[in-house]
Amino acid sequence: MAITSVHFLIFLCITFCVFYCCPVKYRWVALLVSSIYFYVMAGAVSFLPFIVLTSGVIWICARIIGRLYEEQDEKLKGSDLGRAEKKAIKEQYKKRAKRVLMLALVCCVGILCVTKFTRYAVRYLNLIAEAANGSAPFSAEWILVPLGISYYTFSTVGYILDVYWKRYTYEPEFLRFFLYAIYFPHIVQGPISRYNLLGQELKKELRFDSRRIVFGMELMLWGFFKKLVIADRLNIFVSAVYNGEEHAGSIYLVAMLFDAFQIYTDFSGYTDIVRGASQIFGVELEQNFNHPFFAKTVPEYWRRWHMTLGGWFKDYVYYPCTISHFMKRINKRTKKTLSERGGRFVTVVIPVFVTWVLTGLWHGTGKTYLAWGIYYSTLITISVAFQPEFEKVTKFLKIRTDTFSWQLFRMLRTFCCFMGGRLLTSPGGLRRTLMVIKNILLHLQAWCLTDGTLFTYGLDWPQLVLIAGSVLLLWGVSMLQERASVRELLEEQNIVFRWAVIFAAIFSILIFGIYGLGYDAAAFIYAQY
Amino acid sequence: MQVMNKKKVLKGICFVLIFVILFFFFQKLLQAKWIASDSENSASTSAWIEYRSLEENSLDVLFLGTSHSYFGVDPMYIYDRTGITGYVFGGPGLRMDLTYMNLEDALKTQTPSIVFLDMSSIQFDFQQEEAKCHKVLDQLPMTSSKLEYAFNTESEEMKPLDVLFPFFRYHSRWSDLGKNDFKYVLNDLDDTYIRGHYITYQSKETEFHFYEDVDYVLTERNLDYIKRMKRLCDEKGIQLIFYKIPTPTWYESQSEGAKEIAEMLDVPWLELFYEVDEIGLDVKADFRDKNNHLNQRGAEKLSAYLAEYIQEHYDLEDQRPTNKKWNEDLIRYKKLVELKIPK
Amino acid sequence: MEKVVEILSSLKSGVDFHTAEGIVTNKIIDSIDIASLISMLEDEFDVEIGMEYMENENFDSAAAIWEMIEELAEE
């Protein structure tokens, strides 16, 4: 059951009816049941044990940790202990809690790694074995990759770490926690949720509110527009270019541009659909995109793109890494041997690299994603480490930094950095990336843009005009969104205008969306005898 | 609160209503069209438009069947000779199920005295290509038979939703829209005087004999729908006649099969396969393509034969002295035929 | 308190950290600044900032940071 299929819409309608027919107290149960149904339909029954196992282990361990802390607080409160004794008790409990935490992490992250990396490892083992005795003895076909495993593992791991760090207390009811893990809008592709936000959302009284439901539907429409009209249309071109043999450099440049917009509209469109769907039930999911193409620096870009993932890595990898004892020791040593600035440089670089390489591997396994992680770590390190030098250069060149042109330049620069990152992963292998770069540099063949070659990649000129128009619309709406809530603006308008906008959106999606079999004029016109 | 809710419900209803109107507007605009004036278009979308433009209960005879029918029967020619008003409803390779649906829809506005059913359709026990099915289906209103059809298609590409709402099948046709698409939406098409027939003077020499025989078994589905047609005609007091337009794509076993059904249902059976000489068909000149369809010359001969048959067996009024509309259309029609005659 | 403002100012010039509120939530300083900030605070005040304290509200103003340092020093 894909999120853009009719089945999903039917599923949503039925869930909607059941949900609002239930008494308020039991509405979360309706969500739980429909989420399990969705998970099975979108994935398979055989995936269920995995998510039950992961969330079960996390829930039990978090509960143990929580109970340990309660016990500790009891002990500390109950008696007049000296400072040293108190500290000893705290240390002791911290140690016990840490053991439980480690158990949970090893178990859950272990499952994640096995499901994600086994195929890759087996491929290499086979290559080695083939070189040695000419046969490939291993098979990884039996490995299941449960639907949404990276997402639910991250959400649940975040929860147990928060409990361990005493940010909030544990959830006493397993089914509540399980709903948080398997909640259907976020299970397939996020947003990666935090328990203190989504868990609480799911606990509140989920009442019928027509205004919010309309808002949810409008957000879904916008998501469908981005996904079906823009992303899936661009995808025709991008995949035709990247899956084909070798093309002119100019075609690759267009493909890179299209690819950037494709991935953005695809992912953010998807997120809007699920956030809208969730809003219909009164449950707010976290924002995942905040117009990343308006970002002026690469770090800012990643605060606007897939925000929940960036946030997760920041809170659960980057900070722990920065303030770990290991980092502190390195910091001290480098400060002694290097300058103050050198020491700071090292403290920045190591956590950044750890975070970004892991982020890369989270997106996909293999060398390309490793390269992608290193690419971003390097970019961010450069921008941080050489900031004083950059400032000096701008001053020296007498560049006015408060102008629109300078801001535009920074946006374009950031966008190009992003395209560079995509160039590592999109063509399908680093060798192909090199081939693309070679063609752009040596065989640009700019005439391919004007002599009709451009139209041979699945999109004829009406389609390209449509893309241009809808990207323009996307830009306009994004500008509006930066300033105010578009849905609130729309709400204030007269009904004629409001409905005109909504119907225009609905029929643009229905007509211009890429779905179904596609119309083959020849097959239809000649249906004669 | 009560007033608020009422208002909301009213708004909701309005919203749905507007949606439905817009949906069907765009569906009409986007759906594939086979317009007769687009030169090479047979069994066209215009046939349905024309049918609906006829005055209610003004038809004497209806001819149902496959492409053989619209190539082989020329209702205007029959009218010209006898004053009997007729109409051909055929589709390419139609099975009995779609033929039945055609009849069902046709009888909503007309109650002819006689329905001729060409048994060529019993050959088709497989589903035709998607486009051919859509050609008929898109013109039929939402009925229980259409629903039944939609959920029982055998081909992968025919999704129930696409059958019921061709919008979803055709939505990507937006970049192909032409003048006729807009004219069609505005009901502004002008070729409504052809009566479902397809005029062509192409010709090819044909051998006329049975194909080497095959084991032919009438499918359950075809038989079921033939029975339904019989029932429908009985209800309305219409005389149903089975016939076979003389074309060589016909097996002896099929001929026998058709005869059996006719006897079983007590329907007259006209096997014209054996009447080639009687009709006066010239295998050298009267066929459009090898072994298949009649051309205009053949159609006129067959129509003359059918006209005589009808006059002999049924007492239908000669409408020529009174029917102004048909007389006007006949003049236009004759001009069109003249245009098509190769110089 | 003055020391905290001094450290903050060394990270980011052009902001009056005496009065600035919401410096994390409003993204006046980013995560990389925070990493530097922590190491400087730890050196300066001889405390250890654990993950328990890594929350936005503890870093949102100079006053909040100062409060956190005092709390840490007590332990």
Side-chain angles (χ1 to χ4, degrees), chain A residues 451-478:
Chain A
D451 71 354
T453 314
L454 187 64
F455 300 143
T456 59
Y457 296 93
L459 296 180
D460 51 8
W461 74 266
Q463 306 271 359
L464 288 173
V465 169
L466 182 68
I467 285 173
S470 41
V471 168
L472 214 63
L473 179 73
L474 177 74
W475 176 77
V477 171
S478 303

Side-chain angles (χ1 to χ4, degrees), chain B residues 12-13 94 127 194 224-225 227 245 265 274 288 301 306:
Chain B
I13 293 170
L94 280 202
Q127 184 149 349
I194 303 162
D224 178 41
Y225 278 97
K227 283 182 183 162
I245 292 176
L265 297 177
Y274 301 112
R288 176 193 172 272
K301 288 176 188 166
L306 287 170

Side-chain angles (χ1 to χ4, degrees), chain A residues 210 462-463 466 495 498-499 502-503 506-507 510-513 515 517-519 521 523-525 527-529, chain B residues 8 11 15 18 22-23 34 40 42 70-71 92 131-132 135 157 167-174 288:
Chain A
S210 57
Q463 306 271 359
L466 182 68
I495 189 159
R498 208 164 65 217
W499 283 21
I502 290 174
F503 280 122
I506 293 175
F507 284 99
L510 287 179
I511 294 172
F512 301 130
Y515 63 88
L517 294 165
Y519 172 73
F524 273 82
I525 288 169
Q528 303 278 31
Y529 318 114
Chain B
K8 266 183 192 166
K11 256 181 170 177
F15 190 89
I18 296 174
L22 285 173
F23 184 87
W34 291 266
E40 266 299 299
S42 61
Y70 56 74
F71 276 105
K132 291 182 177 174
K135 207 174 191 178
E157 45 183 16
F167 184 113
F168 299 114
R169 184 67 188 86
Y170 292 125
H171 70 95
S172 51
R173 224 185 132 246
W174 60 270
R288 176 193 172 272

Side-chain angles (χ1 to χ4, degrees), chain B residues 25-31 33 173 177 181-182 185:
Chain B
F25 169 80
F26 282 117
Q27 174 162 299
K28 219 172 159 187
L29 180 66
L30 288 164
Q31 73 187 52
K33 292 163 198 79
R173 224 185 132 246
L177 292 182
D181 292 299
F182 290 93
V185 173

Side-chain angles (χ1 to χ4, degrees), chain C residues 12-55:
Chain C
K12 199 102 194 171
S13 50
V15 182
D16 181 10
F17 284 101
H18 288 281
T19 53
E21 289 283 335
I23 55 177
V24 180
T25 36
N26 297 337
K27 307 208 167 93
I28 296 170
I29 60 173
D30 64 16
S31 54
I32 289 165
D33 293 328
I34 292 177
S36 310
L37 174 67
I38 288 167
S39 86
M40 287 196 266
L41 289 173
E42 288 186 344
D43 289 350
E44 184 66 42
F45 299 104
D46 191 27
V47 289
E48 204 174 286
I49 300 171
M51 278 308 290
E52 293 84 344
Y53 291 90
M54 295 301 295
E55 282 182 89

